[in-house]
């Protein structure tokens, strides 16, 4: 039996100038995890540099110009027909002025310590909890 | 000042049928970290599916056919001119018959508990230590 395909998704934990972190709520019309919270980012298109692709994805989903800084961790999602490997990076945004696409219907800027209280997509719960723990560096 | 470019590299921790893990030593002619140990894998080329690209990279470096299974973690390397984000995945190989490319000059199949004893490239030391700790699932 052939293994399930594995795809890659890169998510970005964006901080504003005061260190708050941006969480996005998936629209009610999302195919999976509608109403759950996540971070901006997504599939990195073929034929585009990794960092430029990520900055573009975040801009399209949030209107923010971000500067990538550090690798924060990894996660995985095992779906019926495929698996997704997630790489999570930190980034900073000078403006903090969010303009959502139709992929999301709400956003919140939160202290890292508040992230654990949101109902995140299952694959991001561990990261949200670890970011909200004391002493964890988000940036 | 523009931020340093960030590129992506995906490395694969390959297990053989008895659960030993494959480590490769970088050739003396390597531009960076020559003589240090690492895992197979590398840059995922644009225009190729993520999982197919990884399986191809491992085949080119080791001669092994692997089946990807789980995300193991992430790491980062801060070089003078660029930064590299690493995603680390686990995989299994049925054959275990290694044939090196000229990128590496030695290989070892080791129990996970022995990984901490090798002189790994700096960006993989934490992963090697955590894999070698008790109770950590490699696959």
């Amino acid at each position: 039996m052939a293994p399930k395909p594995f795809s890659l998704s890169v998510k970005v934990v964006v901080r504003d100038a005061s260190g708050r972190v941006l969480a996005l709520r998936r629209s009610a019309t999302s195919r999976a995890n509608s109403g759950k919270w996540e971070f901006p980012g997504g599939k990195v298109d073929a034929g585009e540099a990794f960092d430029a692709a990520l900055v573009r994805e975040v801009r399209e989903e949030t209107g923010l110009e971000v500067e990538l800084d550090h690798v924060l961790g990894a996660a995985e999602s095992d779906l019926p027909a495929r698996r997704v490997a997630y790489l999570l990076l930190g980034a900073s945004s000078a403006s903090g002025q969010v303009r959502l696409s139709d992929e999301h219907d709400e956003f919140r800027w939160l202290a890292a310590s508040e992230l654990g209280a949101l109902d995140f997509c299952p694959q991001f719960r561990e990261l949200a909890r670890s970011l909200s723990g004391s002493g964890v560096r988000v940036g």
Side-chain angles (χ1 to χ4, degrees), chain A:
Chain A
M1 195 182 71
K4 280 192 263 190
F6 229 128
S7 61
L8 172 68
S9 177
V10 188
K11 294 286 188 173
V12 182
V13 179
V14 182
R15 300 179 318 284
D16 69 6
S18 57
R20 293 175 309 167
V21 169
L22 180 64
L24 308 177
R25 192 175 68 186
R26 292 173 64 84
S27 297
T29 54
S30 297
R31 277 186 302 172
N33 287 315
S34 63
K36 304 263 191 248
W37 293 80
E38 65 170 349
F39 302 103
K43 199 161 182 287
V44 173
D45 291 340
E48 193 175 15
F50 165 73
D51 47 1
L54 262 186
V55 166
R56 178 189 52 74
E57 290 259 10
V58 174
R59 184 189 304 124
E60 289 173 358
E61 286 183 27
T62 68
L64 296 173
E65 291 300 325
V66 299
E67 191 165 310
L68 303 172
D69 44 41
H70 286 293
V71 172
L72 295 180
E76 178 176 343
S77 178
D78 194 356
L79 305 172
R82 66 193 176 95
R83 294 165 296 179
V84 183
Y86 293 92
L87 179 67
L88 298 124
L89 271 84
S92 59
S93 160
S95 84
Q97 294 295 314
V98 175
R99 189 186 62 243
L100 293 178
S101 74
D102 56 10
E103 281 188 62
H104 300 101
D105 61 9
E106 197 180 327
F107 70 91
R108 287 195 199 153
W109 287 105
L110 297 166
S113 61
E114 299 171 303
L115 284 175
L118 286 185
D119 185 16
F120 270 91
C121 299
Q123 63 271 32
F124 304 128
R125 281 177 199 157
E126 190 177 324
L127 178 82
R129 267 197 302 265
S130 78
L131 293 176
S132 71
S134 60
V136 173
R137 188 185 63 153
V138 178

